[in-house]
Amino acid sequence: MTAGPSSTSGAQGETPKPGEHARVLSEILAERIRRGGPISFAEFMRECLYHPVHGYYSRTSARRFGDYYTSVDVHPIFGRLLARQFAEMWELLSSPRPFTVVESGAGVGRLAGHILDFSARELPEFYSALEYVAVERSVERRAEHSARLAVHAAAGRSTSAGEIPRAISAGCIFSNELLDALPVHRVVIQKGSLQEIYVGFDGGRFIEVPGKPSMPALEQYFHEQRITLEDGQQAEVCFEACDWIENAGRALGRGFVLTIDYGHEARALYDAHHNRGTLLAYRDHTVSENILDAPGEQDLTSHVNFTAMDLWGRRAGLVRTGLVTQSQFLVALGRANEFGDLYDPAQTEMEKLRARLLLKNLIHPEGLGEKFQVLIQHKGITTPSLTGLSGY
Ligand SMILES: C[S@@+](CC[C@H](N)C(=O)[O-])C[C@H]1O[C@@H](n2cnc3c(N)ncnc32)[C@H](O)[C@@H]1O
């Protein structure tokens, strides 16, 4: 989709006033609605997050959840254990050269840095076969991760791209917290029939406008997954995530697709606990349901439907290898050397203790460990046995 009229306010190099992105983006979106009528929530969310100038993720400074942390920020152990899992996948595929690891939604390259640095140091044979492609939609973020990964690019081990390569002969396509940041359509059941929730503009603010679904695919989506929503229930549908996994599957010759995200199987995602849907806005260290406020200045997320990822993946030849919690995944991978990968050379006992405490955040049920799930799918290999899935 094309973005609305572009403004130079807030462009690279300038420091916009607080609230400036929201002010300009609100004008762009309000004008679009005045001209063409209410827009789908997917269109609204796409502009809020990805407008080339005013979108939340068009800025390198935007940090997920503000003050909250993501697994990548906690400790490099997250990337190090992922590197071990990729190295095992490489061996299971008979150590092809190159072995392509595509990270979609690589952002500013923090996770890529952890994976590549560790591979270079601890897994030299794997590193020598590795072709790491950091894929990122935002131009500014691509520039930042390219600078961060320069040493690996110079060694011929990493490149940067705006899209997943079209043909990957052997490798793993993975993402961490990408799919929950993709635009969603919103629906609600009213008097037994499915309505889409559009975004309108009235009285100087964005409002919800229920109407006929913009496409039959919305009803088919629930029908295919045998989901019946209750009267009054709201839900989200992320066709971009479906397309993403199908494209990933088609691009892959032999190998794996690994998805780490906050989400559920369809039955749990669309149950009574989530009868207002799962969309949330994160801004200035607070979480809210005010998803129509301050376009471009708050992060928007909704939970991933892993059943849909399975269904759409199958269309491209992907077979489910397993779905585990992040905690199960990391513990299974770390167990082999009693989490020795936590430590850096020459660390003091105090630093080691701190590292152990940080690890708890990644695997503890109250931390990130049980909130995030890891879905692995495979193609062109028969029933692979992966250490990361061995704990379930
Ligand atoms: C929530 S951030 C996660 C960043 C990083 N994976 C991490 O764990 O810290 C999502 C990132 O995905 C990028 N993104 C969104 N859609 C994308 C797409 N279709 N292809 C590539 N990158 C995308 C966004 O610009 C953003 O940098």
Side-chain angles (χ1 to χ4, degrees):
M1 198 204 69
T2 47
S6 171
S7 157
T8 51
S9 172
Q12 205 170 5
E14 292 173 34
T15 311
K17 287 181 258 161
E20 189 64 0
H21 289 296
R23 190 188 64 73
V24 179
L25 195 50
S26 294
E27 273 173 22
I28 292 169
L29 288 165
E31 180 56 19
R32 193 179 298 174
I33 292 166
R34 272 193 290 270
R35 284 171 189 230
I39 57 176
S40 71
F41 186 80
E43 182 171 348
F44 178 83
M45 183 169 172
R46 193 174 296 116
E47 295 298 302
C48 289
L49 297 184
Y50 304 113
H51 182 281
V53 177
H54 305 292
Y56 183 81
Y57 281 115
S58 299
R59 301 192 290 281
T60 50
S61 56
R63 289 290 289 269
R64 190 123 230 223
F65 308 146
D67 236 4
Y68 298 73
Y69 51 79
T70 75
S71 301
V72 181
D73 299 313
V74 172
H75 190 280
I77 185 72
F78 183 69
R80 293 173 186 177
L81 292 175
L82 271 171
R84 288 216 180 265
Q85 184 59 91
F86 297 143
E88 182 184 56
M89 290 171 170
W90 174 63
E91 282 170 12
L92 284 170
L93 291 167
S94 310
S95 311
R97 288 174 181 272
F99 180 75
T100 309
V101 171
V102 178
E103 181 188 357
S104 188
V108 294
R110 278 195 305 271
L111 180 55
H114 296 160
I115 292 169
L116 283 157
D117 292 349
F118 182 76
S119 300
R121 196 176 71 222
E122 301 291 334
L123 306 164
E125 232 189 299
F126 168 63
Y127 184 72
S128 71
L130 184 59
E131 180 182 72
Y132 197 100
V133 187
V135 177
E136 172 54 50
R137 169 180 199 156
S138 147
V139 177
E140 285 194 28
R141 291 176 161 238
R142 277 211 296 280
E144 184 152 333
H145 75 219
S146 296
R148 191 180 290 241
L149 305 176
V151 56
H152 300 291
R157 304 274 66 91
S158 98
T159 56
S160 171
E163 285 181 11
I164 293 177
R166 274 169 196 269
I168 296 157
S169 72
C172 178
I173 301 173
F174 88 102
S175 65
N176 180 51
E177 297 189 46
L178 165 73
L179 302 187
D180 72 346
L182 296 181
V184 293
H185 287 264
R186 296 180 70 202
V187 299
V188 61
I189 304 296
Q190 285 184 338
K191 296 190 186 130
S193 84
L194 185 133
Q195 300 283 293
E196 182 161 353
I197 304 175
Y198 295 87
V199 180
F201 189 76
D202 194 29
R205 61 190 188 93
F206 294 103
I207 55 165
E208 295 181 351
V209 183
K212 273 190 180 167
S214 56
M215 50 182 137
L218 282 167
E219 290 212 60
Q220 280 160 16
Y221 178 90
F222 292 103
H223 183 70
E224 196 177 347
Q225 294 173 64
R226 299 200 181 87
I227 297 296
T228 307
L229 302 175
E230 300 295 321
D231 221 44
Q233 187 171 353
Q234 297 177 14
E236 296 90 34
V237 174
C238 189
F239 288 125
E240 273 203 30
C242 297
D243 291 344
W244 182 88
I245 206 116
E246 194 176 338
N247 287 339
R250 293 204 191 289
L252 190 65
R254 280 185 328 132
F256 300 86
V257 177
L258 186 155
T259 306
I260 306 170
D261 232 311
Y262 205 123
H264 317 269
E265 296 274 19
R267 207 172 281 279
L269 178 60
Y270 297 119
D271 71 3
H273 292 296
H274 300 111
N275 74 341
R276 289 177 52 80
T278 64
L279 264 164
L280 287 175
Y282 291 81
R283 187 187 183 202
D284 294 341
H285 320 159
T286 54
V287 188
S288 80
E289 290 187 3
N290 304 330
I291 52 180
L292 300 179
D293 287 357
E297 297 205 0
Q298 44 180 19
D299 193 4
L300 299 171
T301 75
S302 76
H303 298 188
V304 172
N305 176 358
F306 286 112
T307 306
M309 296 306 93
D310 197 1
L311 279 175
W312 264 260
R314 278 193 237 164
R315 295 177 182 183
L318 294 175
V319 179
R320 181 191 286 224
T321 327
L323 176 70
V324 290
T325 64
Q326 174 172 295
S327 176
Q328 288 169 317
F329 180 74
L330 296 179
V331 168
L333 285 162
R335 215 168 18 209
N337 66 359
E338 294 177 344
F339 285 96
D341 296 333
L342 261 180
Y343 311 120
D344 291 311
Q347 267 185 326
T348 63
E349 279 311 309
M350 203 55 191
E351 286 165 339
K352 287 184 177 174
L353 175 64
R354 189 164 178 273
R356 285 197 289 278
L357 291 173
L358 290 173
L359 172 68
K360 280 197 175 165
N361 275 321
L362 287 174
I363 58 178
H364 197 277
E366 299 283 303
L368 298 162
E370 302 290 317
K371 291 188 176 139
F372 286 87
Q373 308 282 318
V374 182
L375 172 69
I376 304 186
Q377 294 154 292
H378 61 271
K379 184 178 178 185
I381 172 170
T382 318
T383 51
S385 168
L386 295 171
T387 302
L389 301 178
S390 62
Y392 91 114

